[in-house]
Amino acid sequence: MRFKQALTLAAAVILSTSTAQAQNVQPVEYTLENGMKFLLMPRDEQPNIITAGWIAPVGSANERPGITGVSHLLEHLLFKGTDSIGTSDPELDEQYREQLTEIREKMRAYTLDVQYKRMYAGEIENPWDPANDTDELRAMRAEMTALQDKQAEITIKNEFDSIYTGNGGSGMNAGTSNDFTVFYINIPSNKLELWSWMESDRLLDPSYRELDAERFVVIEERRQRLEATATGKLDEQFDSMFWVASPYNWPVIGWMSDLMAYTEGEIKEYFETYYQPANLTGVIVGDFEVEEAKRLVDSYFGRIPNKRPKAAPLVTHSVPLLGELRFSGECDCQDQVEVRYRSVPHGHPDEPVFDVIADLLNGRTGRLYKSLIEDQAIAALASAGNRSMRYAGSFSFSALPKGGAELSELEAAWYGELDKLKTELVSERELQKVKNQAAADNFRGLQDNSSLFFQLAITEAYGGYDYLNEYPKRIAAVTPEDIQRVAQEYFEEHERAVSYYTRRGGGEIELLTIDDVRASLPEEMAGMMIPQIEAELANLKSETDAEALRAQIEEMDAQAGMVPPQFETAMRFIKQQIQVRIDEIESGNVEGTEGGDQ
Amino acid sequence: MNTMITAACIAGTVLGGAMASAQDIPSHPREIEFEALEFMPPEADEFRHELSNGVPVYMAPSNEFPLVDIRFSFKGGGYLEPDDKAGLSAMTGQMIRTGGSSMMAPSELDEEFDFLASNVTVGVGATSANARVNTLTSNLHRTFELFMDMLRNPRFDDGRLETLRGQALEGLKARDDNGLAIALREFSYLMWGEDHHESRQPTRESLESITTDDLRSFHEKIFHPGNLMIAVTGDFEEQEMLAFLEEQLSGWEVRPEAPDAPAPTHLYKPGVYYYEKEQPQVQVLVGHRSITRDDPNAIEAEIMNQILGGSGFTSRITNSVRTREGLAYTAGSFMQPRVDYPGIFASYFFTKTPTTALATRLVFDEFERIQNEPVTTDELETIQNNLIETFPRNFESKDAMLGIFMNDERTDRPEGYWQSYRDRVRAVTPEMVQKAANEYLHPEDAVILVVGPWEEIRKGNADSEADPNRVATMEEFFSGQATKIPTRDPESLMPIED
């Protein structure tokens, strides 16, 4: 088999610095009359099993304000059945759906008018929350619930899933990203026709059944993934700030307001535009016969019509950062810092260079471990990563401090590493090490059907699967000069975004003590300053005006730039003690001498 | 419609009319006929070899890629830690890997493995330890020599120990940041007791007390051929590999096998428990101890669990809590048997604060229903077919297959288990499922654990506008009695006053 020979050949030269032979992944390409493309990749290493799925090159980047998150909600709704799947009475079901659409539109119009005005007037916080319903809205909601309960009587819950389950399907799922939406499952190798039936059926005529309940499922998913995680909500805002104009500036799952607002019409239009067959690629990997697969996809997927003109390409692209952006927030999380830069989109000639830079920095023999974790011992974890998406990319450094290290020290240490990349050429041996690893990892990534499936599907959605074969060659061709050039060109001070997350009420765990201050001062000064500081702190205990203390902190902040570096710890300590006193006063605990954060 | 049919027909003509036209497409997938799929589970004996020192070696070559993977599996794990050294087992695994060897300092060894592009990992789990090499065939000899020296003569470098300890200590601070992590920890404490190896957690004190002597003596207990089994997959020739392993393992002292893991002695009190945490979504676990792996009714118990909540969208709890009521994104149940003592059954879901009680009620309704009524034949057949049809997946990759063989040998899985598995699944009836539900589900003896703002959870959605059938408060469980789990200091896990 050609595939295998090419791979073996690549291995033979893997440790030489000369031109490395790339892998050659060659699926059978097959395009239907309606334009739907298939990549067929028979493999017999894992007998009896197929991983099959399809991908649409559409994700949150294709959305607009007002419908953010619709790609992801649609992905959920495509498991809700069709006229044939999921209902015992398609005609009655359609009637209910029409009635539901009508009442939903009425509620939406009413909410956007009355409830939004109440929100802007400051009367209520969330116009969509049923707890804020007016009598009229409550009546409409009751009508809607009654209809849904009636529809539920003829709904066969999750029939789509149970058909697959009963036929040996496993790992059925789908995923939505900024740039693509992918649906996949593992099936026994005698079930390719079932897969063709099920997938073409849902592409032909999805029902969007249970839209309203699914909205709440997605809202719970949003809570689970973002709001109930340590850093989720802050990450979302940092991302949003970082991307400025680009449609990557809203979360894939969507803003909460929009999740409540989509109409069935909007969802349907979105589906018909982006999920028409000419826009889709099917991928089948595993134990199957190519001719049989062609026959099946022809008859099943070939029946899906293109209903609308081709989707318009994305217009708004990202604009460069014109200054340093800084973001700080508190969460129930470990203190952490991230420094993020714009890198390049998928397929850009500099993408492999960014990936190699990340490899040089990461791992136990990487530069970050050696420098930040071992030598300077200021970080518990430190890593870098490049993420080249379809239309733009980002490169991040992130780290968690160790012990009492400050986030600013980690940030400074990162700039030190960057300077090295900018001023010194990487040694041949260091570069060869990461190239060797990249080459071996390429094989590792091809061993498993589902991993191969994702690589084929995603690179195809990004512009062409052949990049899978091209990319390793480009990695092998990266030179020390490329690395230096990219470091100099992209990692600029005025084109970065920096985030500091600190633990909510974090002073409690790492409060500075007077001993820390003593240790931070030159000896001759400590003798003089410590008694002074102690006297000032004693005065603090009689102060009861929190506002006056706040003003004091503000004044200190305003002068912070003028404070010599050796006094920084002392200043922080004084500010900390003032804050402690403010907290005491405001919690009514004015007699206390111990600081509290509640 | 017309254009579709035409398109399919044209394509059909091109292919010589061999394909079906759109008219042939069945109206429902149940009408599709499938070719039978022949599959017989592989026999362990056909893959098993033994070295002269008694170490079993399972081998399954395949030369699709120029990679070799050698996995060492040792009996022994967290349960062998001294009581005051929680965290020692994981630390020993990490220190074997990162602490250098007799021939090389830590950074030299790392550098060498990385340059060879060899992935080398060592990990110690609760009951077994693993050491693994994945390397290009061309680099096997060099990599494996370094690997064996590391495994037999770890250096346990002081500097690396301090780095690791520092990382572990930082990690402790984050232990109360994630509601799900808290829920799993506290549920585990309730089920096994705080001192059993299933639930024991490192603390600042235990991590700070670990010395290189502790690492050495723990290493000696586990990492020797008396506890060892080997699995090899990838690009190699069997006889050569056996001779190679024989040579590489020669002179490694075989010591007595590690003892079995001890059973827990802890007894828990059923009831509602809550752990206070300000967060917008509540994590809930409802469960109790369950069965052993080799229980004669384990298959019907598992089928019962799958219908109840263990098979994703096809199961009842997911259907009612997620699909019908939209109360959660994640909802389901699991049955986790153990080999040496009864394991755990639990249902879980994450929902917004006011609907915690309502979702809990829905779960209890499902417990009751599956105990009081036989499941439908449709539900049962779906699960039976799934277990039978996905059965080959257990052996899908050679690596997974050898993993099963090693585990079966170590845990004395009854002979013929896999060969008769599908017949035993097929023989299960609705009555057997109901019997299993009554025998193995004990809602009255369950623990309900919630993590979130308790006062709001307790009140439920009583003051909402929801329809009366969808109003619930926590008062309806265990006569409204609830036990507060004290908030713990994340580093010591000792209760803190608040």
Side-chain angles (χ1 to χ4, degrees):
Chain A
M1 199 166 78
R2 191 176 167 198
F3 189 43
K4 185 185 144 189
Q5 280 171 349
L7 290 167
T8 318
L9 196 58
V13 294
I14 200 160
L15 289 178
S16 82
T17 51
S18 61
T19 53
Q21 181 99 20
Q23 65 195 29
N24 197 359
V25 180
Q26 288 299 354
V28 175
E29 287 185 56
Y30 187 63
T31 305
L32 309 185
E33 290 278 321
N34 60 16
M36 184 165 179
K37 185 174 179 180
F38 280 84
L39 302 178
L40 308 173
M41 186 87 212
R43 252 189 107 226
D44 50 14
E45 181 62 21
Q46 289 163 288
N48 308 311
I49 310 285
I50 294 170
T51 299
W54 49 276
I55 192 162
V58 57
S60 60
N62 302 82
E63 298 162 357
R64 56 175 166 76
I67 62 164
T68 66
V70 74
S71 315
H72 173 252
L73 180 72
L74 177 59
E75 175 234 290
H76 277 236
L77 291 175
L78 289 178
F79 290 90
K80 292 296 182 178
T82 59
D83 277 351
S84 325
I85 300 293
T87 182
S88 57
D89 187 341
E91 274 173 40
L92 190 55
D93 185 71
E94 197 178 335
Q95 279 178 32
Y96 287 140
R97 271 152 53 196
E98 279 166 16
Q99 290 167 6
L100 278 168
T101 300
E102 202 179 309
I103 181 87
R104 194 183 296 124
E105 304 265 329
K106 255 168 64 189
M107 288 173 72
R108 172 182 150 112
Y110 182 94
T111 303
L112 293 180
D113 180 21
V114 179
Q115 298 294 76
Y116 268 59
K117 280 183 189 151
R118 289 177 70 204
M119 174 185 68
Y120 295 132
E123 287 172 36
I124 54 171
E125 251 180 51
N126 180 356
W128 297 100
D129 186 347
N132 296 327
D133 280 1
T134 62
D135 287 345
E136 274 168 288
L137 199 49
R138 193 171 302 130
M140 288 188 256
R141 198 178 302 281
E143 198 186 324
M144 186 181 207
T145 309
L147 262 174
Q148 287 164 339
D149 284 350
K150 273 203 263 177
Q151 186 191 26
E153 289 168 19
I154 56 161
T155 301
I156 308 173
K157 296 280 181 193
N158 295 323
E159 186 183 9
F160 188 87
D161 181 88
S162 60
I163 290 172
Y164 267 136
T165 301
N167 280 287
S170 61
M172 178 182 81
N173 212 335
T176 308
S177 81
N178 306 81
D179 298 314
F180 60 82
T181 309
V182 61
F183 295 76
Y184 52 91
I185 187 166
N186 301 301
I187 48 170
S189 46
N190 61 343
K191 294 289 161 52
L192 202 52
E193 182 165 4
L194 175 75
W195 176 80
S196 306
W197 196 103
M198 297 289 281
E199 302 302 322
S200 60
D201 183 55
R202 67 168 152 180
L203 282 167
L204 205 50
D205 188 22
S207 69
Y208 316 110
R209 202 172 282 130
E210 302 171 295
L211 165 60
D212 301 289
E214 204 58 24
R215 243 191 250 284
F216 288 103
V217 169
V218 171
I219 288 169
E220 288 299 335
E221 180 180 358
R222 196 188 138 82
R223 286 198 181 96
Q224 184 177 326
R225 285 188 197 277
L226 283 173
E227 299 177 12
T229 60
T231 63
K233 280 193 289 190
L234 295 181
D235 291 341
E236 181 179 84
Q237 296 226 334
F238 183 56
D239 278 349
S240 188
M241 177 178 101
F242 176 77
W243 285 112
V244 194
S246 156
Y248 290 150
N249 76 13
W250 55 77
V252 172
I253 201 163
W255 299 117
M256 200 61 126
S257 54
D258 301 9
L259 289 179
M260 293 301 297
Y262 318 119
T263 64
E264 189 173 323
E266 283 171 334
I267 296 170
K268 193 166 178 173
E269 182 190 337
Y270 199 81
F271 172 80
E272 289 182 352
T273 303
Y274 291 105
Y275 283 74
Q276 37 196 343
N279 205 33
L280 306 178
T281 303
V283 180
I284 306 175
V285 181
D287 184 6
F288 67 95
E289 297 289 334
V290 169
E291 289 311 312
E292 165 75 0
K294 283 183 180 174
R295 188 182 68 75
L296 287 171
V297 300
D298 254 327
S299 67
Y300 281 96
F301 292 90
R303 62 191 175 135
I304 307 167
N306 289 299
K307 287 188 181 167
R308 290 180 185 252
K310 203 168 176 243
L314 195 80
V315 175
T316 309
H317 56 75
S318 58
V319 296
L321 297 180
L322 299 180
E324 184 188 56
L325 304 175
R326 294 192 79 89
F327 179 92
S328 58
E330 290 193 340
C331 47
D332 292 333
C333 60
Q334 287 174 281
D335 289 2
Q336 51 201 283
V337 56
E338 179 177 345
V339 185
R340 198 188 287 183
Y341 305 82
R342 296 285 178 75
S343 67
V344 292
H346 175 89
H348 186 286
D350 287 338
E351 180 193 7
V353 187
F354 279 104
D355 290 346
V356 166
I357 292 176
D359 289 345
L360 289 169
L361 294 164
N362 287 328
R364 223 177 356 260
T365 60
R367 293 180 171 200
L368 295 178
Y369 183 90
K370 283 184 188 161
S371 160
L372 275 69
I373 294 177
E374 281 205 323
D375 294 350
Q376 304 181 55
I378 53 175
L381 294 171
S383 64
N386 178 49
R387 186 166 178 229
S388 287
M389 298 190 284
R390 188 170 179 197
Y391 302 107
S394 64
F395 186 98
S396 285
F397 158 80
S398 49
L400 304 179
K402 177 180 178 182
E406 295 287 326
L407 295 179
S408 55
E409 293 174 62
L410 297 176
E411 189 187 346
W414 162 245
Y415 299 142
E417 286 307 315
L418 268 189
D419 277 343
K420 269 190 248 163
L421 286 169
K422 290 177 183 180
T423 54
E424 298 163 24
L425 285 176
V426 173
S427 78
E428 281 297 336
R429 162 120 190 158
E430 192 182 1
L431 182 55
Q432 192 57 44
K433 177 187 74 185
V434 305
K435 288 184 181 179
N436 288 347
Q437 289 175 311
D441 286 345
N442 279 332
F443 296 130
R444 294 183 177 120
L446 299 173
Q447 285 178 300
D448 178 65
N449 287 348
S450 59
S451 153
L452 191 51
F453 167 85
F454 283 112
Q455 293 186 61
L456 282 168
I458 293 168
T459 47
E460 179 64 19
Y462 274 165
Y465 74 85
D466 199 49
Y467 192 62
L468 274 184
N469 300 323
E470 178 61 25
Y471 176 80
K473 291 182 212 161
R474 294 201 189 171
I475 288 278
V478 170
T479 65
E481 289 74 19
D482 288 331
I483 291 167
Q484 190 171 42
R485 174 184 57 79
V486 164
Q488 288 170 351
E489 200 175 311
Y490 293 87
F491 298 124
E492 295 260 23
E493 197 172 327
H494 60 277
E495 290 176 338
R496 69 187 178 210
V498 182
S499 75
Y500 279 21
Y501 297 172
T502 48
R503 181 173 291 284
R504 199 193 308 280
E508 189 172 30
I509 291 170
E510 300 288 342
L511 277 186
L512 288 171
T513 66
I514 193 83
D515 292 332
D516 295 330
V517 177
R518 191 175 286 118
S520 74
L521 293 169
E523 213 172 304
E524 67 280 9
M525 289 194 178
M528 194 172 68
M529 284 190 62
I530 295 290
Q532 244 178 331
I533 294 173
E534 280 175 332
E536 268 188 57
L537 294 182
N539 287 339
L540 256 188
K541 298 233 183 295
S542 55
E543 181 64 74
T544 53
D545 181 354
E547 284 315 306
L549 291 173
R550 262 205 196 95
Q552 225 174 309
I553 291 187
E554 270 170 40
E555 201 181 319
M556 289 173 75
D557 283 341
Q559 294 172 357
M562 286 153 19
V563 175
Q566 66 265 38
F567 294 151
E568 264 178 25
T569 308
M571 289 288 276
R572 273 200 294 129
F573 177 68
I574 294 168
K575 267 165 59 180
Q576 164 195 305
Q577 293 308 104
I578 297 175
Q579 188 60 49
V580 165
R581 184 60 191 163
I582 293 172
D583 292 342
E584 278 172 14
I585 295 166
E586 294 187 339
S587 66
N589 184 20
V590 285
E591 279 80 32
T593 51
E594 293 287 302
D597 293 277
Q598 297 313 307
Chain B
M1 282 309 255
N2 273 337
T3 44
M4 282 159 27
I5 294 169
T6 320
C9 289
I10 291 168
T13 322
V14 173
L15 290 176
M19 51 152 286
S21 73
Q23 290 96 327
D24 296 335
I25 289 177
S27 64
H28 194 277
R30 75 175 73 88
E31 293 155 27
I32 306 173
E33 284 175 24
F34 303 109
E35 273 178 45
L37 197 63
E38 293 296 325
F39 177 79
M40 277 311 291
E43 301 273 355
D45 290 350
E46 289 167 25
F47 299 85
R48 192 182 187 281
H49 307 262
E50 214 172 275
L51 299 182
S52 59
N53 60 2
V55 172
V57 180
Y58 287 96
M59 293 194 288
S62 123
N63 52 11
E64 189 182 18
F65 297 95
L67 293 165
V68 185
D69 190 285
I70 304 181
R71 173 157 50 135
F72 282 18
S73 170
F74 297 90
K75 179 176 181 181
Y79 68 91
L80 296 169
E81 283 174 350
D83 287 343
D84 57 347
K85 298 279 180 186
L88 173 62
S89 54
M91 188 83 88
T92 304
Q94 288 169 300
M95 279 302 294
I96 292 172
R97 173 62 188 86
T98 66
S101 63
S102 77
M103 292 189 286
M104 284 192 176
S107 58
E108 287 172 327
L109 186 59
D110 287 340
E111 197 66 42
E112 192 72 18
F113 281 142
D114 276 2
F115 194 80
L116 293 165
S118 300
N119 286 353
V120 176
T121 54
V122 183
V124 182
T127 57
S128 71
N130 272 285
R132 187 166 191 155
V133 173
N134 182 293
T135 175
L136 293 163
T137 314
S138 52
N139 297 341
L140 172 65
H141 282 236
R142 176 71 181 147
T143 301
F144 201 76
E145 272 172 25
L146 296 172
F147 170 79
M148 284 304 296
D149 182 38
M150 175 196 86
L151 206 57
R152 290 173 66 170
N153 315 304
R155 186 178 290 205
F156 294 132
D157 176 82
D158 285 332
R160 282 286 167 96
L161 176 58
E162 291 319 312
T163 300
L164 261 180
R165 196 199 308 275
Q167 287 175 320
L169 288 173
E170 288 304 322
L172 296 187
K173 293 180 187 168
R175 280 202 286 204
D176 262 21
D177 293 348
N178 179 304
L180 180 58
I182 295 173
L184 293 172
R185 178 185 77 214
E186 297 299 333
F187 188 70
S188 191
Y189 278 171
L190 287 166
M191 289 293 109
W192 310 107
E194 294 184 17
D195 295 328
H196 191 249
H197 69 265
E198 294 261 9
S199 55
R200 189 167 46 202
Q201 302 275 335
T203 62
R204 172 170 281 278
E205 198 184 353
S206 75
L207 290 174
E208 282 179 342
S209 78
I210 292 171
T211 64
T212 39
D213 284 345
D214 293 330
L215 298 173
R216 280 186 205 294
S217 74
F218 200 74
H219 169 259
E220 276 173 29
K221 281 188 208 170
I222 294 180
F223 291 87
H224 61 78
N227 287 328
L228 177 61
M229 283 188 232
I230 301 176
V232 193
T233 57
D235 179 22
F236 63 93
E237 198 281 311
E238 288 186 308
Q239 288 313 312
E240 277 176 27
M241 178 55 70
L242 270 181
F244 176 64
L245 290 171
E246 192 71 62
E247 175 205 321
Q248 291 283 327
L249 268 73
S250 68
W252 197 2
E253 187 194 348
V254 184
R255 290 196 293 274
E257 192 184 76
D260 291 343
T265 52
H266 172 78
L267 296 173
Y268 63 90
K269 221 172 113 242
V272 177
Y273 293 80
Y274 62 94
Y275 190 98
E276 194 65 37
K277 181 170 168 68
E278 197 49 55
Q279 52 176 359
Q281 193 176 50
V282 178
Q283 292 84 19
V284 185
L285 283 160
V286 181
H288 49 68
R289 296 285 302 280
S290 68
I291 58 172
T292 56
R293 185 193 69 183
D294 298 332
D295 186 293
N297 302 321
I299 286 187
E300 45 263 46
E302 178 52 26
I303 289 179
M304 184 274 295
N305 169 58
Q306 297 240 345
I307 294 172
L308 180 64
S311 64
F313 289 106
T314 296
S315 55
R316 291 176 172 187
I317 289 174
T318 314
N319 240 305
S320 115
V321 177
R322 172 169 168 161
T323 311
R324 196 180 72 220
E325 302 293 335
L327 298 179
Y329 171 67
T330 300
S333 69
F334 59 79
M335 183 78 90
Q336 287 178 345
R338 295 289 191 273
V339 178
D340 300 317
Y341 44 84
I344 283 182
F345 163 81
S347 172
Y348 55 88
F349 55 89
F350 318 140
T351 186
K352 58 188 178 298
T353 316
T355 49
T356 308
L358 177 59
T360 310
R361 178 203 285 170
L362 294 174
V363 166
F364 274 76
D365 287 349
E366 293 303 340
F367 292 160
E368 201 179 303
R369 183 153 76 102
I370 207 164
Q371 288 185 319
N372 293 345
E373 301 165 18
V375 296
T376 66
T377 25
D378 257 9
E379 284 174 303
L380 177 57
E381 279 174 12
T382 299
I383 299 301
Q384 285 173 312
N385 289 342
N386 182 256
L387 292 176
I388 291 165
E389 296 263 356
T390 56
F391 179 71
R393 287 216 70 178
N394 292 304
F395 307 91
E396 175 189 10
S397 72
K398 298 204 160 64
D399 184 55
M401 175 180 76
L402 299 191
I404 287 178
F405 295 155
M406 289 202 296
N407 184 50
D408 287 357
E409 178 171 343
R410 177 161 295 143
T411 59
D412 296 322
R413 172 100 68 182
E415 195 81 11
Y417 174 85
W418 300 107
Q419 280 62 31
S420 65
Y421 177 84
R422 286 170 293 179
D423 290 338
R424 282 178 294 133
V425 167
R426 217 171 264 123
V428 172
T429 62
E431 292 68 36
M432 290 161 78
V433 173
Q434 190 178 357
K435 191 157 165 273
N438 282 290
E439 213 159 309
Y440 300 114
L441 281 186
H442 307 287
E444 67 290 351
D445 286 334
V447 158
I448 302 175
L449 171 71
V450 300
V451 178
W454 171 247
E455 261 317 294
E456 288 167 57
I457 295 170
R458 194 184 54 78
K459 281 190 299 198
N461 57 353
D463 53 4
S464 77
E465 303 286 342
D467 84 71
N469 294 325
R470 291 181 169 102
V471 168
T473 75
M474 291 305 285
E475 303 293 331
E476 62 187 78
F477 307 103
F478 294 97
S479 346
Q481 297 298 305
T483 308
K484 179 182 166 66
I485 298 174
T487 307
R488 296 176 197 275
D489 171 68
E491 297 189 43
S492 68
L493 293 179
M494 298 300 284
I496 41 181
E497 295 299 322
D498 53 358

